[in-house]
Amino acid sequence: GNLAYTLEYTESARSLPMFDEALALLVDDDSHAELRLRIARYRASVLYGSGRRAESAEALHRVLDEDNAVLGGMHAETAMAKMMYAIALSALDRDADALPLIESSYRTLEAGLGREHPRTLQAGQTLAITFSNLDRYDEQAALMQELVPRVAKVFGDRSPRYARTLTLYGVAQSHTSNPAAAV
């Protein structure tokens, strides 16, 4: 599993069979359920990164179901699996299906890890992008107004993450009734 993850996207033809072999070894081993889930997440991530979006979405849906069964719906890893699945759906132009999953993931991470945890902030940015994809700019702007100071506090106001957050906020503002604020 670790070697396959190290190879990642650039060597997906080599890494995917390694993930499959590792998963086959653990298929009936409930004592390693969390390891099996981690490997399945890595595999789905490699599928996504290598452009196999539909396969990735199917794999992530299975991972999400298993995460719910093994870890429970309020676990941070389940929330991350939900967000990964939603991102895969968005890549398939299914933003309307992705939105409730991302909203749920964001709320779960916020409650479990805190408002300023990097995973929570990542989920917030993903939610903002989904709002934008659905032309829901007022909701995107409201969320970004809330995220900007949190991202600055956690990552610093000179970080790439902060610059991306300001850009998302500017895009939202440019589409709302306050385009001057975007400048």
Side-chain angles (χ1 to χ4, degrees):
N2 286 337
L3 175 58
Y5 186 64
T6 302
L7 293 171
E8 287 190 65
Y9 316 122
T10 56
E11 298 282 343
S12 63
R14 288 178 57 201
S15 65
L16 288 170
M18 289 181 196
F19 284 127
D20 293 337
E21 183 179 350
L23 289 169
L25 292 172
L26 297 171
V27 71
D28 293 322
D29 188 350
D30 287 340
S31 66
H32 290 94
E34 289 188 39
L35 174 61
R36 186 178 62 241
L37 282 169
R38 189 175 329 124
I39 292 168
R41 280 187 215 103
Y42 290 159
R43 182 184 181 282
S45 177
V46 169
L47 283 170
Y48 184 88
S50 61
R52 295 164 67 176
R53 303 296 205 253
E55 288 177 78
S56 175
E58 290 173 21
L60 287 164
H61 191 256
R62 288 191 302 273
V63 168
L64 177 57
D65 286 345
E66 195 168 349
D67 269 333
N68 273 311
V70 173
L71 302 174
M74 295 305 292
H75 196 282
E77 290 302 327
T78 304
M80 291 302 293
K82 192 179 292 186
M83 186 171 69
M84 289 172 60
Y85 176 49
I87 290 169
L89 290 176
S90 289
L92 297 171
D93 295 323
R94 293 179 54 193
D95 292 294
D97 295 329
L99 180 62
L101 297 169
I102 297 171
E103 287 177 315
S104 173
S105 177
Y106 177 62
R107 299 297 171 222
T108 299
L109 293 169
E110 193 174 46
L113 299 179
R115 293 172 51 82
E116 294 176 353
H117 191 279
R119 284 184 170 190
T120 304
L121 297 173
Q122 176 187 2
Q125 288 180 323
T126 302
L127 179 55
I129 291 166
T130 306
F131 280 143
S132 178
N133 291 346
L134 293 169
D135 299 330
R136 293 171 63 169
Y137 299 110
D138 288 334
E139 290 164 283
Q140 181 191 19
L143 177 60
M144 294 315 300
Q145 183 176 14
E146 173 188 319
L147 287 176
V148 165
R150 289 166 37 201
V151 170
K153 180 178 180 184
V154 173
F155 295 101
D157 61 4
R158 296 278 185 234
S159 69
R161 179 73 60 100
Y162 182 69
R164 179 181 164 98
T165 304
L166 285 178
T167 301
L168 287 170
Y169 190 27
V171 167
Q173 291 284 36
S174 70
H175 287 93
T176 65
S177 59
N178 193 7
V183 177

